[in-house]
């Protein structure tokens, strides 16, 4: 009886350690989108209408413009806090997402032409850019740190 009581915790510790070493990140579970990240966010699409997302406590709503028409989606999301390269990020992904890279988000302000703007950094695989609370007609993908 004692052997099984000790074996289960050791197995869990080994799995958790392996997960941390493989991914290089640490995850802290959370159930809701952080308050600073909630609301409507915009990304300029170089001459196209703005890409728009809205984050609520448990949902992600998107509006995208592609081939002369809008597409709308909404998803219930899973949220977890992640520490990568000394920064705190949140992965926010649809509950039923089958495949593809994890989408990371991070709230941070940025100064654009002398004025501070609230922004949301986004990265998914090799894609990274910023979304803004207001419609700022600039692309600031280069200001999101590149991960190796």
């Amino acid at each position: 009886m004692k052997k099984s009581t000790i074996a289960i915790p050791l197995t869990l510790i080994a799995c958790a350690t392996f997960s941390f070493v493989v991914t290089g990140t640490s995850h802290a579970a959370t159930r809701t989108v952080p308050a600073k990240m909630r609301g409507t966010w915009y990304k300029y699409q170089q001459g196209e209408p703005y890409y728009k997302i809205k984050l609520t406590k448990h949902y992600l709503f998107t509006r995208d413009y592609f081939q002369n028409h809008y597409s709308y989606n909404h998803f219930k999301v899973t949220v977890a806090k992640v520490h990568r390269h000394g920064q705190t990020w949140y992965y926010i992904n649809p509950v039923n997402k089958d495949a593809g890279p994890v989408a990371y988000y991070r709230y941070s302000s940025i100064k654009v032409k002398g004025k501070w703007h609230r922004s949301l950094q986004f990265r998914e695989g090799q894609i990274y850019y910023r979304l803004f609370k207001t419609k700022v007609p600039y692309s600031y993908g280069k200001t999101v740190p590149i991960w190796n």
Side-chain angles (χ1 to χ4, degrees):
M1 185 71 172
K2 274 190 173 181
K3 286 184 181 180
S4 64
T5 307
I6 293 171
I8 292 171
L10 289 177
T11 304
L12 292 174
I13 290 169
C15 289
T17 303
F18 179 76
S19 174
F20 181 78
V21 170
V22 169
T23 61
T25 62
S26 61
H27 301 275
T30 182
R31 295 180 184 191
T32 62
V33 173
K36 277 188 170 183
M37 294 182 179
R38 293 180 203 154
T40 303
W41 298 89
Y42 302 92
K43 178 187 171 287
Y44 185 64
Q45 298 267 99
Q46 298 178 353
E48 299 288 331
Y50 286 88
Y51 169 72
K52 180 172 93 171
I53 70 168
K54 181 178 179 182
L55 290 167
T56 65
K57 266 185 157 181
H58 302 286
Y59 286 89
L60 168 67
F61 298 86
T62 65
R63 181 194 80 179
D64 200 1
Y65 187 79
F66 184 69
Q67 295 181 345
N68 298 322
H69 76 279
Y70 288 101
S71 63
Y72 299 89
N73 290 301
H74 70 282
F75 310 97
K76 185 166 182 149
V77 294
T78 58
V79 180
K81 192 179 205 179
V82 180
H83 298 285
R84 294 216 32 164
H85 304 284
Q87 296 179 330
T88 301
W89 291 76
Y90 290 86
Y91 71 75
I92 301 173
N93 274 310
V95 171
N96 297 325
K97 185 174 182 178
D98 292 332
V102 174
Y104 292 95
Y105 293 85
R106 179 175 183 263
Y107 176 85
S108 69
S109 297
I110 186 170
K111 200 173 200 177
V112 178
K113 294 193 173 187
K115 185 178 176 185
W116 284 97
H117 292 272
R118 293 183 285 170
S119 78
L120 191 65
Q121 293 179 0
F122 170 82
R123 63 171 50 258
E124 185 177 57
Q126 297 298 316
I127 300 168
Y128 55 93
Y129 54 82
R130 281 187 190 264
L131 296 114
F132 293 92
K133 275 290 196 184
T134 55
K135 293 179 178 179
V136 178
Y138 302 100
S139 176
Y140 285 93
K142 294 178 183 174
T143 62
V144 178
I146 297 172
W147 291 343
N148 296 326

